[in-house]
């Protein structure tokens, strides 16, 4: 029997940053299984760190079988279970315990990005950067529903408030985007602490480097050269 050899290469990193006392982010890197994720916890250190770690631990223990459609159903079910556990914990605690989640699932030449919250998935292809995910945030709602310009929306006092997250409501609603991957594609999963620290051109310059490890080093060197007020987490995946 021929052993399965992954066509994917990846690198992941998570840092507390310069201001926060604790890191409430968690990252998942399973290249052989074709699954990666970034979770950014909310609800204070104890609740946020617990939420992001619970999500990543559940995804780590998931046995993925079948084609992409079947694997996606398994991931969705796993995340619904995590959502119920976090929502019940928040109900008993009387305060929020949740996390954003952005994940990439790959099988063969197909991949699916799925997310809840403002952690993002980017694709670097042919020298161009594409944002595949769409933030679930009040800032995004102000742009979409009220027609505010991005600069105006960003100044709103509730701009960074989330409209979706794992554990925030009784039933989790995930957005997803499926695509065919091409040799040379690079994906970036990251928390808002990272994508708010860097310009799109900085993301593209890093993703254009030949190795996932080099891309991660470049992203964090640039982000940590700035204020780094939030936790920073990223996973770079390439075919």
């Amino acid at each position: 029997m021929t052993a399965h050899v992954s066509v994917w290469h990846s690198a992941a990193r998570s840092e507390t940053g310069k201001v926060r006392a604790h890191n409430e982010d968690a990252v998942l890197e399973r290249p052989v299984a074709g699954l990666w994720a970034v979770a950014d916890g909310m609800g204070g250190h104890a609740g946020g760190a617990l939420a992001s770690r619970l999500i990543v631990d559940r995804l780590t223990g998931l046995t993925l079988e079948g084609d992409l459609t079947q694997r996606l159903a398994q991931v969705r079910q796993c995340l619904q279970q995590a959502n119920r556990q976090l929502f019940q914990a928040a109900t008993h605690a009387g305060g929020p315990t949740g996390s954003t989640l952005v994940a990439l699932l790959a099988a063969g030449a197909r991949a699916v990005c799925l997310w809840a919250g403002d952690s993002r998935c980017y694709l670097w292809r042919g020298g161009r950067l594409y944002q595949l995910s769409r933030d679930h945030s009040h800032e995004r709602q102000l742009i979409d529903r009220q027609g505010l310009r991005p600069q105006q929306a960003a100044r709103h006092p509730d701009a960074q408030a989330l409209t979706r997250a794992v554990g925030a409501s009784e039933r989790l609603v995930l957005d997803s985007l499926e695509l065919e991957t091409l040799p040379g594609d690079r994906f970036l999963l990251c928390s808002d602490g990272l994508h708010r620290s860097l310009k799109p051109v900085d993301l593209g310059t890093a993703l254009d480097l030949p190795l996932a490890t080099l891309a991660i080093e470049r992203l964090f060197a640039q982000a940590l050269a700035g204020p780094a007020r939030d936790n920073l987490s990223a996973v770079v995946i390439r075919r």
Side-chain angles (χ1 to χ4, degrees):
M1 188 169 71
T2 304
H4 171 73
V5 179
S6 174
V7 298
W8 298 93
H9 304 275
S10 60
R13 185 170 165 184
S14 186
E15 297 279 353
T16 303
K18 296 180 177 178
V19 176
R20 298 285 181 92
H22 306 282
N23 191 352
E24 296 178 44
D25 292 358
V27 296
L28 173 71
E29 186 185 11
R30 295 181 62 190
V32 175
L35 180 62
W36 304 264
V38 169
D40 180 355
M42 62 185 196
H45 168 57
L50 169 71
S52 61
R53 177 47 54 191
L54 182 143
I55 292 166
V56 164
D57 285 348
R58 279 188 170 271
L59 291 173
T60 299
L62 193 59
T63 301
L64 293 168
E65 298 176 332
D67 62 15
L68 184 63
T69 300
Q70 292 168 316
R71 290 173 177 230
L72 180 59
Q74 293 159 23
V75 170
R76 284 184 177 276
Q77 182 180 25
C78 176
L79 293 172
Q80 289 293 346
Q81 291 169 347
N83 182 77
R84 281 194 294 272
Q85 186 172 344
L86 290 172
F87 183 72
Q88 289 168 0
T91 301
H92 291 309
T97 301
S99 176
T100 71
L101 181 279
V102 60
L104 185 73
L105 179 66
R110 304 290 295 175
V112 177
C113 168
L114 65 162
W115 70 95
D118 61 357
S119 290
R120 290 182 180 175
C121 177
Y122 292 91
L123 167 67
W124 178 256
R125 174 184 286 177
R128 290 189 62 185
L129 184 71
Y130 303 89
Q131 183 181 327
L132 301 185
S133 59
R134 193 174 182 85
D135 294 349
H136 298 134
S137 66
H138 188 57
E139 180 178 352
R140 187 72 246 174
Q141 282 191 343
L142 291 171
I143 296 168
D144 293 343
R145 298 181 183 180
Q146 298 186 26
L148 268 65
R149 294 193 299 273
Q151 296 86 345
Q152 292 175 304
R155 289 196 294 269
H156 193 281
D158 295 327
Q160 295 188 38
L162 299 178
T163 56
R164 276 193 226 173
V166 183
S169 58
E170 196 164 2
R171 178 157 182 82
L172 172 64
V173 179
L174 292 161
D175 278 351
S176 64
L177 178 68
E178 183 174 343
L179 70 157
E180 184 171 353
T181 64
L182 300 175
D185 278 354
R186 296 95 187 263
F187 293 91
L188 167 66
L189 308 180
C190 61
S191 61
D192 70 317
L194 189 119
H195 69 68
R196 290 181 187 278
S197 296
L198 301 174
K199 297 176 181 177
V201 66
D202 298 325
L203 302 180
T205 300
L207 293 174
D208 200 35
L209 294 171
L211 299 174
T213 51
L214 294 176
I216 283 286
E217 288 174 10
R218 175 70 174 255
L219 289 168
F220 278 80
Q222 289 190 286
L224 290 168
R229 297 186 182 92
D230 200 353
N231 301 150
L232 307 168
S233 294
V235 183
V236 173
I237 309 116
R238 61 166 296 156
R239 252 189 90 178

